[in-house]
Amino acid sequence: MATYLEFIQQNEERDGVRFSWNVWPSSRLEATRMVVPLACLLTPLKERLDLPPVQYEPVLCSRPTCKAVLNPLCQVDYRAKLWACNFCFQRNQFPPAYAGISEVNQPAELMPQFSTIEYIVQRGPQTPLIFLYVVDTCLEEEDLQALKESLQMSLSLLPADALVGLITFGRMVQVHELSCEGISKSYVFRGTKDLTAKQIQDMLGLSRPAVPIQQGRPLQTPEQPVISSRFLQPVHKIDMNLTDLLGELQRDPWPVTQGKRPLRSTGVALSIAVGLLEGTFPNTGARIMLFTGGPPTQGPGMVVGDELKTPIRSWHDIEKDNARFMKKATKHYETLANRTAANGHCIDIYACALDQTGLLEMKCCANLTGGQMVMGDSFNTSLFKQTFQRVFNKGFNGEFRMAFGASLDVKTSRELKIAGAIGPCISLNAKGPCVSENELGIGGTSQWKICSLDPSTTLAIYFEVVNQHNAPIPQGGRGAVQFVTQYQHSSTQKRIRVTTIARNWADAQSQLQHIEAAFDQEAAAVLMARLGVYRAESEEGPDVLRWLDRQLIRLCQKFGQYNKDDPNSFRLSESFSLYPQFMFHLRRSPFLQVFNNSPDESSYYRHHFARQDLTQSLIMIQPILYAYSFHGPPEPVLLDSSSILPDRILLMDTFFQIVIYLGETIAQWQKAGYQDMPEYENFKHLLQAPLDDAQEILQTRFPMPRYIHTEHGGSQARFLLSKVNPSQTHNNLYAWGQVS
Amino acid sequence: MSVNQQAHTGPPYGQPQPGYQGYQQPAYGGQPLPAVPQSQYGAYNGPMPGYQQPVPPQGYFPSLGFPSKGSPVSLNSDTSLAPNFIGSLRAPPTSGAPPPASGASLPSGHLAYSQFGHGDVQNGIPASAAPMQRPPASQPFLPGSAPTPVSQTSTFQQYGHPPASVQQLSNHMAGMTIGSTTASAPPPAGLGYGPPTSVPPVSGSFSATGSGLYTPYTASQGPPPTSVSQGLPLAQPPFPGQPISTQRLPTQVPGFAPPPSSTGIGLSSYPPTTGAPRPPTMPGPPLPGQTLAGPPASQPNHVSSPPPPPSTMAGPHPGPPMSGLHGPPPPTHPPQPGYQMQQNGSFGQVRGPQPNYGGAYPGTPNYGSQPGPPPPPKRLDPDSIPSPIQVIEDDRSNRGSEPFVTGVRGQVPPLVTTNFLVKDQGNASPRYIRCTSYNIPCTSDMAKQSQVPLAAVIKPLATLPPEETLPYLVDHGESGPVRCNRCKAYMCPFMQFIEGGRRFQCCFCSCVTEVPPHYFQHLDHTGKRVDFYDRPELSLGSYEFLATVDYCKNNKFPTPPAFIFMIDVSYNAMKSGLVRLICEELKSLLDYLPREGNMEESAIRVGFVTYNKVLHFYNVKSSLAQPQMMVVSDVADMFVPLLDGFLVNVNESRTVIASLLDQIPEMFADTRETETVFAPVIQAGLEALKAAECAGKLFIFHTSLPIAEAPGKLKNRDDKKLINTDKEKTLFQPQTSFYNNLAKDCVAQGCCVDLFLFPNQYLDVATLGVVTYQTGGSIYKYAYFQLETDQDRFLNDLRRDVQKEVGFDAVMRVRTSTGIRATDFFGAFYMSNTTDVEMAGLDCDKTITVEFKHDDKLSEDSGALLQCALLYTSCAGQRRLRIHNLSLNCCTQLADLYRNCETDTLINYLAKYAYRGVLSSPVKTVRDALINQCAQILACYRKNCASPSSAGQLILPECMKLLPVYLNCVLKSDVLQPGPEVTTDDRAYIRQLVTSMDVAETNVFFYPRLLPLTKADVDSDSLPAAIRNSEERLSKGDIYLLENGLNIFVWVGVNVQQGLIQNLFGVSSFSQISNALSTLPVLENPFSKKVRSIIDMLQVQRSRYMKLIIVKQEDKLEMLFKHFLVEDKSLSGGASYVDFLCHMHKEIRQLLS
């Protein structure tokens, strides 16, 4: 097993791929009996320090339907300068540049250690990154001030040649022109009117003038950039202007009467932002960054009316079909999201408000375009400020950890077909021989578009074994999958990353133990969870839970060892041992349970769950609990109420929250001030330890988790109590007390 | 308007109309080219080509004729002809023989002229008379060689000419006369004239003399002609000799007095009246010699009249103006006829009167016998017909000296042209209200019979001269003004306090209302409240109440109003430099926003918008470092993108505004946008005011037809082919109802729209102006705007418009005594019901004309009362009620009605009525209706008030003797009878302009003021005496100024002394004068100073800065100028005064028979 664990880890590190099964059942029938589908978690841009990109174009299989990239698994005839595609078995001539190829002089893509390789290609003009800020001005003065400062700060973090634009909205939507001297100029739109892309472009003067040829001068070429640059300007040129502009930004001046919400035209603002980019920079990497401090209250995409007495929809309302604006709003944002995705742009949503802000309706904007979604209580919190700052973090090589306009192309060997993908992507509708008719997630295609991604963005890709039972795969045969990701690097280069992996086939009847041993329960849990969450978006909660339960039961049936009617005899092998526990916590997680969560929160959690990598996903499913005490070094403990002891400090990381919980005694000690007494310095250290660890987590986590410091009996302790397995409840606790 | 355009267009001017040329040619040629002139005339009289030829000359310069007449020198006449009439004319007279020396002669001529001019009627008349005759004179020249006979012939021709003008008269007259007067000897001649056929005869005689053309006629006419011809020739010679000399001399002296009196006049009075007037006419005196020779022929008409003058003179003088007319006649032999005529100022038909005269007149006999009878019928002596100038002068001298005290009921105020002080003693000043009649018929039957419209012209916020006090502001506390319980009339001097002062009886509806306790006061022994003199509302005709919150919209006190400047920044506006100009001006102008008397700074806030196809709003909040521009491209659904910072206090945001105004011209300097929107601009302003919850005014500076895709988009629908068709009215109607609805919204919000237009082509004023019009705004139009020439005018208009006192969100209601009711309203406003006049804005120049109708009987005892209550928001945001009260008399005798009418007001009403009529009826119908109504008015007078007289006489009520001339001006105005050079926009513009004019404005607009500048007394402040608007009054050696409230023309005769030219224009010769000048150069000499001070004085008097146009005689621009010589025949077919008078007479006679 150890070997498998190592293998899995090695594979993940090298290729960013984790399969649920690392030995594949060789027939369709067997595969379905395995319960957990053959699938993988793919992190397309996994950061790799040891992967220098090569500066040439990949060599493609010449079969038009295949076009697989030359890889280490291909058979190569060095003398004939031929290679055989390992997916379609087409024999291909090497291109002239490969004339010097030989066994000892192999190109990188043929070396086994380069099962993942990255090409830099020169295609088309390079356009700078584009950041379009869409800023809500219906904020409290403090919030707005904080937001303004964050935005001003961000200018210094942007690449100097990046283009920035600014749209502000409240009752109206203003598109600011950034190149003006002496007067600040903006285009204003009514917040209540849905405009078509064409109208928006006309109104912004982006459409080509009808009489450009009048002068007889070929003005065409210079004209394009001139026009678009009115609203999107290179940072280095206008950062002073923009800083001033942001500085002068006022709260939305329209009076808000008592008992009303401010009128906020988020829907139109987004629509204009999308239209603006669509008209100026289609198919170029661009982020629309929406900063909103409340729900859209007017116009298309409104989520709630402006009467405060009607609260924003809750799950209860939605279940009762009582959310009047939801469907319409959702449709509006979906349309926008699809347009944005089609243009290769992405939408980030930074929603900071105590109440809901309509993330439920807007989630697709981020989900379909690969944008970020951040939810906070206020822009004036470190949660937002640091999260936002972290957007512009740079990777180890000094490059922004963001990429744009990626398309993921998956190729499989014949025994496999692609059932679908779940993640921040949309289908490119590429039908092909390797596309399954059975869809799991976003299916019916072998290509997906991921408008924005970062090194941790992870997609779940589901396969289907199509090999018939009676057509056994030759012993030692390997199934292969190739992932080709083309994307715009943050340096604006076009790059292609190719990952080719292969796994052994095994006959489930004769070699079940092999398959069993090669089960990756962590990956499987996350893959199943993604399926569950994906279903939960469209199905009733209980149905999903039932489905999940059934899957677990079937899995246990298949792989468990037990004697009938003897529950205690039940055993699972080590490779399955944690899986039920994951499922248990998954059932209780906010991804499937909406109770005690607002629709916005659910959307937020699900959003992140659908894009984080395996480790983070697992943390989300089953939060990590560390215990600090005088009894020994910090240790992970069971996420169980029994882990809550008076003399312990607990650190819980749920991904979204980090909770530090002081046990009853510890809390009393702290109150008594022992930590300040020199003789109790060890207590001080004990108190400090979880803080340091938490800090470490905070350093790397995106988005910033909510940081909660509480103690026994504190109101915030609920965050911990709601997560732990309630093995001790008031019932048995009481009983226990009676006993004593 | 037309002026502007023309000036710009150039072409129209450049090419005189064919007609024109023709005109002149004939004049020159004299005989040569009959054909051409004819054609023109043709339009006119059509009838006789032969005539026309001669005519042209006549039309031009009767005066010339005179000079030419100067038998002494035919040469002179010729010379005179060649140059300008005036010059020549003058010259001859003065110089007599010497004429040739124009220079020398000029001065003298001028003098003579001026005298004439001053001579008013007398001089004027003679002049006019002369003109008629002159043509002949001119002819004479041609034939010149031939002595008397020639002259005769010429005279004939002259007749012919006169016919043009006179003919109509003569025709009509003839017709009339024929019908009625056939018997009389003169008629024959008349007959001959009237009908074409008759004419021939005359010509026949002429023909005999020389012209082939005529001959044919002669043949046919043979018999009659003979008599005629004889008469004429005879008359001529005799005339000149005796009459002329006599007349003139006398006339000059007494002249002045008589003319006024003669006003009544008429043709009928001819012999006598004409005599009187004519004598006054300069011609007589100046050119005795000439007259003798030349005039004869033409004079016949005149002549006939002239003779009487002498006699009349005597008569008239003694008598008062009114009587004057009568007076003269009475003296004359024909007591009765003369009398009547005189009394009424009736126009005798030429013939009718003549015969009488002939008989009666002592002197006449000669005339009568010879020239008198025949000629009279034919021509009407222009000098004999009522002269507006004379009337104005008389009123000025009679009533200008002492204040007009308003204490007496039904008092007719002095004319608008008279300077007088008003003392408010219970009735509103005529500056606020003027009525068509101050004595109202008691019953509707009477009213219908008389056809005199009962109307009041109300100018509620009129500016008062500094010597008069503004209406007092009365505060009745929380309960608000005291009002009648039933009709809600406000407390006023006519309310009767009864029961010891505990109650009062409403003077309007007779309802008895309790006096509120806080308002109680004891009565004195006369029933007057003790505090009568302490309370303006009890003792004055005009005063203001402070309104309570009940009088406010939404029961909330209003906030101070706002001004929003909305500037077109499309290519046209940028290129002409307009935008820069506006921005520069606004920088300083904003410091002069209107403010409440005692306030340190104006409460008015300002906002700025620029636009082309899209709108740009500006945030100029004081806290901003630089202005913010907000572009709204969504013109289909206009909204205001900002709230705070759009409307700001000027002082607080001074630096930001200044920087904005600097930026605007820069920002759009390179614009290539040519399309504009319009309706969204108004919507934007409206929305801004709505958002700010205040009333206000939009100043929109707009350049082109709004063709950009947006609501209210317009098409170019200008189509001159529609003129004179049933569809013509569509040119005045808005293209779409969109603007009407918009206007309604604007009024509801108190959003007044002032429009400054700078079109280079058609921009559909009729549609664009709808909102302006209905919100009580003003339109200013500067066609072909050019910075150099139009800058001053525009800036002055803008300044005045921004600074003038204005009220907002106004509602006006006119209450009347039971028995009459306000039924119709004219002006720039909106009405949502039948009684309340709503105006988003009302400034001190806006006037509303209200028509009243009977719905019951009035009583003579109690008279009729009007109370005009205007509820408005002052410029500081104070809600006020301004009350004007006026009491009128009531009569059971029509004569009382006619005695208390005011023609100027009547014209104001009729013009507005007609101008509204063109929206719904063909223009011809409107014109006919006007003529018909006036004919009925006059006929009713004739029938019921005038003493019996010959039907051939035209008898006019003294108060209305100017009605025909003024009415003719209305009929000839561009709206009702457009010339070819008048654009559709001009017509629409004028139509709207006139609709909110007050009486003084309509007066000068329809009958422009013509001042001989060369006659101005350099040392005094006074204006030179005006002269009548006829070309024949002009001397080519003089410089004249003509103003009509929109334009000032400075007309320079070709023979003007070089010294004068040098003094005035700073150039050494006539040819160097540039007519591109928009101002006169500032030169340090008395003449230049005087002229400029006159112009400045005039500019101050008018609500708009008038455009100054320099017109050189015989220059292409002169066409334009002549358009304003309203007593002459107009090129567009408008009748001359004389012709029209005859036509009226005919109409009246038809009504009477």
Side-chain angles (χ1 to χ4, degrees), chain B residues 793 1041 1046-1050 1075-1080 1095 1099 1105-1110:
Chain B
R793 184 161 60 105
L1041 179 149
L1046 297 178
N1047 299 296
I1048 290 181
F1049 291 91
V1050 173
N1075 47 23
L1077 289 178
S1078 62
T1079 51
L1080 291 175
I1095 291 176
Q1099 294 284 25
Y1105 195 83
M1106 293 177 278
K1107 174 172 183 162
L1108 182 68
I1109 301 171
I1110 311 288

PDB file of all heavy atoms in Angstrom, chain B residues 793 1041 1046-1050 1075-1080 1095 1099 1105-1110:
ATOM      1  N   ARG B 793     -25.544  90.635 -30.366  1.00  0.00           N
ATOM      2  CA  ARG B 793     -26.982  90.476 -30.245  1.00  0.00           C
ATOM      3  C   ARG B 793     -27.295  89.265 -29.370  1.00  0.00           C
ATOM      4  O   ARG B 793     -28.104  89.335 -28.449  1.00  0.00           O
ATOM      5  CB  ARG B 793     -27.576  90.266 -31.638  1.00  0.00           C
ATOM      6  CG  ARG B 793     -29.063  90.177 -31.660  1.00  0.00           C
ATOM      7  CD  ARG B 793     -29.570  90.438 -33.046  1.00  0.00           C
ATOM      8  NE  ARG B 793     -29.036  89.474 -33.997  1.00  0.00           N
ATOM      9  CZ  ARG B 793     -29.749  88.463 -34.504  1.00  0.00           C
ATOM     10  NH1 ARG B 793     -30.998  88.300 -34.158  1.00  0.00           N
ATOM     11  NH2 ARG B 793     -29.207  87.642 -35.361  1.00  0.00           N
ATOM     12  N   LEU B1041     -33.590 105.343 -39.810  1.00  0.00           N
ATOM     13  CA  LEU B1041     -33.500 104.177 -38.945  1.00  0.00           C
ATOM     14  C   LEU B1041     -34.878 103.576 -38.843  1.00  0.00           C
ATOM     15  O   LEU B1041     -35.866 104.286 -38.628  1.00  0.00           O
ATOM     16  CB  LEU B1041     -32.999 104.590 -37.566  1.00  0.00           C
ATOM     17  CG  LEU B1041     -32.864 103.481 -36.513  1.00  0.00           C
ATOM     18  CD1 LEU B1041     -31.727 103.819 -35.579  1.00  0.00           C
ATOM     19  CD2 LEU B1041     -34.141 103.285 -35.734  1.00  0.00           C
ATOM     20  N   LEU B1046     -37.311  93.694 -33.573  1.00  0.00           N
ATOM     21  CA  LEU B1046     -36.411  92.573 -33.836  1.00  0.00           C
ATOM     22  C   LEU B1046     -35.183  93.028 -34.606  1.00  0.00           C
ATOM     23  O   LEU B1046     -34.106  92.491 -34.461  1.00  0.00           O
ATOM     24  CB  LEU B1046     -37.136  91.509 -34.655  1.00  0.00           C
ATOM     25  CG  LEU B1046     -38.323  90.859 -33.974  1.00  0.00           C
ATOM     26  CD1 LEU B1046     -38.972  89.864 -34.918  1.00  0.00           C
ATOM     27  CD2 LEU B1046     -37.886  90.167 -32.708  1.00  0.00           C
ATOM     28  N   ASN B1047     -35.387  94.020 -35.439  1.00  0.00           N
ATOM     29  CA  ASN B1047     -34.286  94.496 -36.261  1.00  0.00           C
ATOM     30  C   ASN B1047     -34.225  96.011 -36.222  1.00  0.00           C
ATOM     31  O   ASN B1047     -35.245  96.681 -36.038  1.00  0.00           O
ATOM     32  CB  ASN B1047     -34.489  94.095 -37.724  1.00  0.00           C
ATOM     33  CG  ASN B1047     -34.547  92.601 -37.871  1.00  0.00           C
ATOM     34  OD1 ASN B1047     -33.592  91.909 -37.604  1.00  0.00           O
ATOM     35  ND2 ASN B1047     -35.713  92.101 -38.277  1.00  0.00           N
ATOM     36  N   ILE B1048     -33.034  96.482 -36.435  1.00  0.00           N
ATOM     37  CA  ILE B1048     -32.878  97.910 -36.693  1.00  0.00           C
ATOM     38  C   ILE B1048     -32.209  98.017 -38.055  1.00  0.00           C
ATOM     39  O   ILE B1048     -31.173  97.396 -38.291  1.00  0.00           O
ATOM     40  CB  ILE B1048     -31.975  98.582 -35.643  1.00  0.00           C
ATOM     41  CG1 ILE B1048     -32.678  98.626 -34.314  1.00  0.00           C
ATOM     42  CG2 ILE B1048     -31.590  99.981 -36.105  1.00  0.00           C
ATOM     43  CD1 ILE B1048     -31.870  99.293 -33.231  1.00  0.00           C
ATOM     44  N   PHE B1049     -32.832  98.767 -38.908  1.00  0.00           N
ATOM     45  CA  PHE B1049     -32.193  99.024 -40.195  1.00  0.00           C
ATOM     46  C   PHE B1049     -31.692 100.451 -40.189  1.00  0.00           C
ATOM     47  O   PHE B1049     -32.387 101.352 -39.714  1.00  0.00           O
ATOM     48  CB  PHE B1049     -33.209  98.902 -41.332  1.00  0.00           C
ATOM     49  CG  PHE B1049     -33.677  97.502 -41.552  1.00  0.00           C
ATOM     50  CD1 PHE B1049     -34.799  97.024 -40.902  1.00  0.00           C
ATOM     51  CD2 PHE B1049     -33.000  96.662 -42.421  1.00  0.00           C
ATOM     52  CE1 PHE B1049     -35.239  95.733 -41.102  1.00  0.00           C
ATOM     53  CE2 PHE B1049     -33.435  95.368 -42.636  1.00  0.00           C
ATOM     54  CZ  PHE B1049     -34.556  94.899 -41.974  1.00  0.00           C
ATOM     55  N   VAL B1050     -30.517 100.616 -40.699  1.00  0.00           N
ATOM     56  CA  VAL B1050     -30.081 101.983 -40.954  1.00  0.00           C
ATOM     57  C   VAL B1050     -29.974 102.098 -42.462  1.00  0.00           C
ATOM     58  O   VAL B1050     -29.164 101.426 -43.093  1.00  0.00           O
ATOM     59  CB  VAL B1050     -28.736 102.267 -40.275  1.00  0.00           C
ATOM     60  CG1 VAL B1050     -28.224 103.635 -40.714  1.00  0.00           C
ATOM     61  CG2 VAL B1050     -28.890 102.191 -38.779  1.00  0.00           C
ATOM     62  N   ASN B1075     -22.032  96.830 -45.613  1.00  0.00           N
ATOM     63  CA  ASN B1075     -23.272  96.440 -44.956  1.00  0.00           C
ATOM     64  C   ASN B1075     -23.100  95.159 -44.153  1.00  0.00           C
ATOM     65  O   ASN B1075     -24.033  94.522 -43.738  1.00  0.00           O
ATOM     66  CB  ASN B1075     -24.436  96.334 -45.933  1.00  0.00           C
ATOM     67  CG  ASN B1075     -24.052  95.560 -47.165  1.00  0.00           C
ATOM     68  OD1 ASN B1075     -23.102  94.767 -47.119  1.00  0.00           O
ATOM     69  ND2 ASN B1075     -24.762  95.768 -48.249  1.00  0.00           N
ATOM     70  N   ALA B1076     -21.853  94.823 -43.941  1.00  0.00           N
ATOM     71  CA  ALA B1076     -21.607  93.691 -43.042  1.00  0.00           C
ATOM     72  C   ALA B1076     -21.510  94.171 -41.598  1.00  0.00           C
ATOM     73  O   ALA B1076     -21.395  93.378 -40.685  1.00  0.00           O
ATOM     74  CB  ALA B1076     -20.318  92.986 -43.443  1.00  0.00           C
ATOM     75  N   LEU B1077     -21.529  95.474 -41.434  1.00  0.00           N
ATOM     76  CA  LEU B1077     -21.410  96.006 -40.072  1.00  0.00           C
ATOM     77  C   LEU B1077     -22.553  95.520 -39.200  1.00  0.00           C
ATOM     78  O   LEU B1077     -23.697  95.494 -39.636  1.00  0.00           O
ATOM     79  CB  LEU B1077     -21.457  97.534 -40.107  1.00  0.00           C
ATOM     80  CG  LEU B1077     -20.244  98.256 -40.693  1.00  0.00           C
ATOM     81  CD1 LEU B1077     -20.513  99.748 -40.667  1.00  0.00           C
ATOM     82  CD2 LEU B1077     -19.017  97.920 -39.878  1.00  0.00           C
ATOM     83  N   SER B1078     -22.231  95.143 -38.002  1.00  0.00           N
ATOM     84  CA  SER B1078     -23.316  94.788 -37.094  1.00  0.00           C
ATOM     85  C   SER B1078     -23.451  95.854 -36.020  1.00  0.00           C
ATOM     86  O   SER B1078     -24.391  95.850 -35.247  1.00  0.00           O
ATOM     87  CB  SER B1078     -23.056  93.431 -36.455  1.00  0.00           C
ATOM     88  OG  SER B1078     -21.874  93.483 -35.704  1.00  0.00           O
ATOM     89  N   THR B1079     -22.498  96.719 -35.964  1.00  0.00           N
ATOM     90  CA  THR B1079     -22.628  97.875 -35.072  1.00  0.00           C
ATOM     91  C   THR B1079     -22.051  99.065 -35.808  1.00  0.00           C
ATOM     92  O   THR B1079     -21.289  98.922 -36.758  1.00  0.00           O
ATOM     93  CB  THR B1079     -21.808  97.705 -33.778  1.00  0.00           C
ATOM     94  OG1 THR B1079     -20.482  97.353 -34.145  1.00  0.00           O
ATOM     95  CG2 THR B1079     -22.391  96.640 -32.884  1.00  0.00           C
ATOM     96  N   LEU B1080     -22.419 100.199 -35.332  1.00  0.00           N
ATOM     97  CA  LEU B1080     -21.846 101.383 -35.928  1.00  0.00           C
ATOM     98  C   LEU B1080     -20.512 101.638 -35.260  1.00  0.00           C
ATOM     99  O   LEU B1080     -20.365 101.417 -34.059  1.00  0.00           O
ATOM    100  CB  LEU B1080     -22.781 102.573 -35.704  1.00  0.00           C
ATOM    101  CG  LEU B1080     -24.098 102.499 -36.478  1.00  0.00           C
ATOM    102  CD1 LEU B1080     -24.985 103.655 -36.096  1.00  0.00           C
ATOM    103  CD2 LEU B1080     -23.833 102.493 -37.973  1.00  0.00           C
ATOM    104  N   ILE B1095     -29.782 104.484 -31.011  1.00  0.00           N
ATOM    105  CA  ILE B1095     -29.864 103.025 -31.138  1.00  0.00           C
ATOM    106  C   ILE B1095     -29.837 102.374 -29.772  1.00  0.00           C
ATOM    107  O   ILE B1095     -30.626 101.475 -29.470  1.00  0.00           O
ATOM    108  CB  ILE B1095     -28.705 102.504 -32.029  1.00  0.00           C
ATOM    109  CG1 ILE B1095     -28.950 102.959 -33.467  1.00  0.00           C
ATOM    110  CG2 ILE B1095     -28.603 100.991 -31.949  1.00  0.00           C
ATOM    111  CD1 ILE B1095     -27.852 102.599 -34.423  1.00  0.00           C
ATOM    112  N   GLN B1099     -32.622  99.996 -28.165  1.00  0.00           N
ATOM    113  CA  GLN B1099     -32.305  98.634 -27.717  1.00  0.00           C
ATOM    114  C   GLN B1099     -32.824  98.425 -26.305  1.00  0.00           C
ATOM    115  O   GLN B1099     -33.324  97.353 -25.967  1.00  0.00           O
ATOM    116  CB  GLN B1099     -30.792  98.394 -27.745  1.00  0.00           C
ATOM    117  CG  GLN B1099     -30.175  98.405 -29.132  1.00  0.00           C
ATOM    118  CD  GLN B1099     -30.445  97.147 -29.936  1.00  0.00           C
ATOM    119  OE1 GLN B1099     -31.436  96.466 -29.687  1.00  0.00           O
ATOM    120  NE2 GLN B1099     -29.607  96.869 -30.906  1.00  0.00           N
ATOM    121  N   TYR B1105     -32.595  92.218 -28.107  1.00  0.00           N
ATOM    122  CA  TYR B1105     -31.592  93.055 -28.732  1.00  0.00           C
ATOM    123  C   TYR B1105     -31.803  92.972 -30.227  1.00  0.00           C
ATOM    124  O   TYR B1105     -31.851  91.896 -30.807  1.00  0.00           O
ATOM    125  CB  TYR B1105     -30.207  92.543 -28.369  1.00  0.00           C
ATOM    126  CG  TYR B1105     -29.107  93.526 -28.658  1.00  0.00           C
ATOM    127  CD1 TYR B1105     -28.814  94.529 -27.733  1.00  0.00           C
ATOM    128  CD2 TYR B1105     -28.360  93.437 -29.810  1.00  0.00           C
ATOM    129  CE1 TYR B1105     -27.798  95.426 -27.985  1.00  0.00           C
ATOM    130  CE2 TYR B1105     -27.346  94.336 -30.071  1.00  0.00           C
ATOM    131  CZ  TYR B1105     -27.070  95.335 -29.156  1.00  0.00           C
ATOM    132  OH  TYR B1105     -26.060  96.219 -29.403  1.00  0.00           O
ATOM    133  N   MET B1106     -31.968  94.123 -30.827  1.00  0.00           N
ATOM    134  CA  MET B1106     -32.303  94.099 -32.242  1.00  0.00           C
ATOM    135  C   MET B1106     -31.049  93.991 -33.094  1.00  0.00           C
ATOM    136  O   MET B1106     -30.000  94.514 -32.754  1.00  0.00           O
ATOM    137  CB  MET B1106     -33.081  95.367 -32.586  1.00  0.00           C
ATOM    138  CG  MET B1106     -34.443  95.395 -31.918  1.00  0.00           C
ATOM    139  SD  MET B1106     -35.346  96.885 -32.239  1.00  0.00           S
ATOM    140  CE  MET B1106     -34.639  97.974 -31.044  1.00  0.00           C
ATOM    141  N   LYS B1107     -31.230  93.329 -34.169  1.00  0.00           N
ATOM    142  CA  LYS B1107     -30.108  93.164 -35.085  1.00  0.00           C
ATOM    143  C   LYS B1107     -29.969  94.429 -35.918  1.00  0.00           C
ATOM    144  O   LYS B1107     -30.950  94.927 -36.462  1.00  0.00           O
ATOM    145  CB  LYS B1107     -30.377  91.973 -36.000  1.00  0.00           C
ATOM    146  CG  LYS B1107     -29.344  91.798 -37.064  1.00  0.00           C
ATOM    147  CD  LYS B1107     -29.584  90.498 -37.796  1.00  0.00           C
ATOM    148  CE  LYS B1107     -28.493  90.286 -38.835  1.00  0.00           C
ATOM    149  NZ  LYS B1107     -28.428  88.905 -39.255  1.00  0.00           N
ATOM    150  N   LEU B1108     -28.760  94.925 -35.992  1.00  0.00           N
ATOM    151  CA  LEU B1108     -28.538  96.145 -36.753  1.00  0.00           C
ATOM    152  C   LEU B1108     -28.123  95.778 -38.169  1.00  0.00           C
ATOM    153  O   LEU B1108     -27.189  95.005 -38.381  1.00  0.00           O
ATOM    154  CB  LEU B1108     -27.440  96.973 -36.092  1.00  0.00           C
ATOM    155  CG  LEU B1108     -27.143  98.293 -36.781  1.00  0.00           C
ATOM    156  CD1 LEU B1108     -28.316  99.249 -36.623  1.00  0.00           C
ATOM    157  CD2 LEU B1108     -25.877  98.914 -36.238  1.00  0.00           C
ATOM    158  N   ILE B1109     -28.844  96.332 -39.111  1.00  0.00           N
ATOM    159  CA  ILE B1109     -28.523  96.025 -40.501  1.00  0.00           C
ATOM    160  C   ILE B1109     -28.358  97.339 -41.242  1.00  0.00           C
ATOM    161  O   ILE B1109     -29.231  98.216 -41.191  1.00  0.00           O
ATOM    162  CB  ILE B1109     -29.656  95.216 -41.155  1.00  0.00           C
ATOM    163  CG1 ILE B1109     -29.858  93.924 -40.379  1.00  0.00           C
ATOM    164  CG2 ILE B1109     -29.341  94.925 -42.612  1.00  0.00           C
ATOM    165  CD1 ILE B1109     -31.082  93.163 -40.793  1.00  0.00           C
ATOM    166  N   ILE B1110     -27.240  97.465 -41.884  1.00  0.00           N
ATOM    167  CA  ILE B1110     -27.013  98.681 -42.661  1.00  0.00           C
ATOM    168  C   ILE B1110     -27.508  98.430 -44.078  1.00  0.00           C
ATOM    169  O   ILE B1110     -27.112  97.460 -44.722  1.00  0.00           O
ATOM    170  CB  ILE B1110     -25.503  99.007 -42.739  1.00  0.00           C
ATOM    171  CG1 ILE B1110     -24.873  98.954 -41.355  1.00  0.00           C
ATOM    172  CG2 ILE B1110     -25.292 100.340 -43.437  1.00  0.00           C
ATOM    173  CD1 ILE B1110     -25.240 100.075 -40.461  1.00  0.00           C
TER     174      ILE B1110
END
